Amino acid sequence: MSHAPSSSLPTVACAAGGTGGHLFPAEALARELQRRGHPVVIYTERRGAAYTQALAGLDHVVLPARSLEGGLAGKLAAGLTILRATALARADMVRRRVRLLVGFGGYPSFAPALAAKSRALPLLLHEQGARLSMANRKLLRFADGVATSFPATTGLDGFDPARIVNTGNPVRQAILDARGDYPSLDPHGPLRLLVVGGSQSARVFGEVVPPALLQLPVSIRHRLQVSLQMKGDAVASVEAALQAGGIEATVRPFFDDMGARLRDAHLVITRAGATTAADLLSMGRPAVLVPIPQGGSRDEQRRNAETLAAAGVGWCLPESEFTPERLSELLAGAFASPTVLPDAARASAALGRPQAAATLADLVQETLARNP
């Protein structure tokens, strides 16, 4: 935390859940507002505070947070936690003279939003997915405006369309700095495939992708350059098996040069989280999207993947259909065509909003001007 700001520009607060999907867009907006001279603070919870690199140089406050799951006792405990977090956030907003809050979803964003409205501050909501998240749905009635990442976002029925702005999803600067043209596809040149999806994808991607690649025709395998993110004891053996099959493969638990690998990729196999989608579109890369199975009202990744697939960005392959045989068939067709991947890359770039952070910052400043 820092002392109360001395800047003549209004202080803006961001509230974000503890996942990277919520925190990274908040970070991108915060840094853009800082560049414009605004003091900024981010309210998050302990998981969000663990993203130390994302929060470096940014004032942030760690608030208590708890989801409403767990039956009556869990809901009562969550209610008490929200009340405590709301009081803490409100006191901090008074001290910092916060003038506006931008909520990025996740249950930890709920208390700061309530604190802001208790002080009659403007509230903007940013939705990263193709459907309004649970926290944003609950806060919608308090919102002065909604910024969306997709041109068509469901869950906004009844909200004034004039107060909905498609800003796109702010992307980390490391991704923006690595942007480049889609790599050319020479008939005899390399085919670069990036497979990445985080810890929740390590097992299934590691089980499905290597055998799918080894089923490809020899003419394709010998052109493949694969970067596969995978954790566990099998990393070395999987890399060796791919190389024995004629595939140039790098298998690692983590890639610290993700921007460069994404820029160089002809195709990406990944999950369909909102931040992943924004990175892909900002870079203009096609993808095989394998949404995490969630089901019900929380099926955000499936909605994201289906939206992007319908726009021509790539393919939505549900995990129930994510088999070596199905994936190998899909990849063989894509790699054999001279037009499929470049066309999908153009569709991806057409949806990309690399200026999303600046556009959202413009909306923040416009809202501040309307609420002196």
Side-chain angles (χ1 to χ4, degrees):
M1 282 190 221
S2 73
H3 298 294
S6 59
S7 169
S8 60
L9 291 178
T11 299
V12 177
C14 300
T19 67
H22 296 304
L23 190 70
F24 292 153
E27 177 213 352
L29 173 64
R31 296 196 187 281
E32 175 63 25
L33 288 170
Q34 270 193 339
R35 281 191 287 272
R36 300 184 184 197
H38 287 274
V40 182
V41 60
I42 294 179
Y43 297 110
T44 187
E45 46 115 5
R46 58 176 180 78
R47 292 179 305 157
Y51 290 96
T52 53
Q53 185 174 357
L55 292 171
L58 293 171
D59 284 355
H60 61 280
V61 177
V62 180
L63 296 173
R66 178 169 177 159
S67 74
L68 291 170
E69 298 176 353
L72 179 59
K75 287 180 171 56
L76 288 173
L80 293 173
T81 301
I82 290 172
L83 287 175
R84 180 169 167 243
T86 301
L88 291 170
R90 179 185 168 88
D92 190 76
M93 289 177 185
V94 170
R95 184 180 68 85
R96 295 175 187 272
R97 299 192 293 276
V98 169
R99 284 275 310 282
L100 179 146
L101 178 83
V102 186
F104 285 86
Y107 61 84
S109 70
F110 200 77
L114 294 181
K117 295 315 293 184
S118 75
R119 298 195 58 234
L121 300 180
L123 171 65
L124 292 177
L125 300 179
H126 182 273
E127 180 53 55
Q128 295 91 55
R131 173 184 169 85
L132 214 61
S133 66
M134 184 180 296
N136 281 347
R137 288 201 303 273
K138 298 290 186 184
L139 292 169
L140 188 60
R141 58 181 168 170
F142 304 116
D144 295 88
V146 176
T148 63
S149 300
F150 290 88
T153 301
T154 60
L156 286 165
D157 298 340
F159 194 77
D160 182 2
R163 294 189 287 150
I164 302 172
V165 180
N166 177 223
T167 61
N169 193 7
V171 172
R172 293 166 289 171
Q173 193 62 43
I175 298 296
L176 296 178
D177 289 345
R179 292 174 69 232
D181 293 336
Y182 185 70
S184 61
L185 268 176
D186 185 288
H188 305 290
L191 295 167
R192 288 185 287 273
L193 176 67
L194 174 63
V195 186
V196 59
S199 58
Q200 295 189 67
S201 310
R203 181 188 60 79
V204 68
F205 281 20
E207 291 175 354
V208 173
V209 175
L213 299 181
L214 291 172
Q215 291 178 26
L216 290 169
V218 173
S219 59
I220 293 179
R221 293 205 309 268
H222 286 177
R223 296 172 59 198
L224 273 177
Q225 296 178 359
V226 178
S227 297
L228 170 61
Q229 185 187 63
M230 177 182 168
K231 298 180 180 179
D233 298 333
V235 168
S237 61
V238 167
E239 185 175 81
L242 290 172
Q243 291 175 350
I247 297 171
E248 184 179 328
T250 303
V251 184
R252 298 287 184 271
F254 180 77
F255 293 119
D256 56 10
D257 56 347
M258 187 58 66
R261 289 182 186 270
L262 183 58
R263 177 196 62 214
D264 294 340
H266 291 103
L267 179 65
V268 183
I269 300 176
T270 186
R271 291 300 195 182
T275 295
T276 297
D279 290 351
L280 284 170
L281 299 179
S282 293
M283 194 72 74
R285 295 298 178 265
V288 177
L289 298 160
V290 186
I292 293 176
Q294 292 174 301
S297 62
R298 294 180 58 81
D299 209 4
E300 294 96 349
Q301 289 212 6
R302 179 184 61 82
R303 296 175 187 275
N304 293 346
E306 290 178 347
T307 298
L308 294 179
V313 171
W315 301 263
C316 172
L317 198 56
E319 195 165 299
S320 59
E321 302 173 21
F322 189 56
T323 64
E325 294 73 23
R326 177 72 182 93
L327 180 60
S328 185
E329 178 186 19
L330 188 158
L331 294 176
F335 288 143
S337 169
T339 59
V340 166
L341 291 179
D343 286 349
R346 281 189 287 272
S348 180
L351 289 179
R353 303 293 294 273
Q355 301 302 318
T359 305
L360 184 54
D362 290 343
L363 179 60
V364 167
Q365 292 183 317
E366 291 165 8
T367 305
L368 284 169
R370 288 197 302 269
N371 295 270

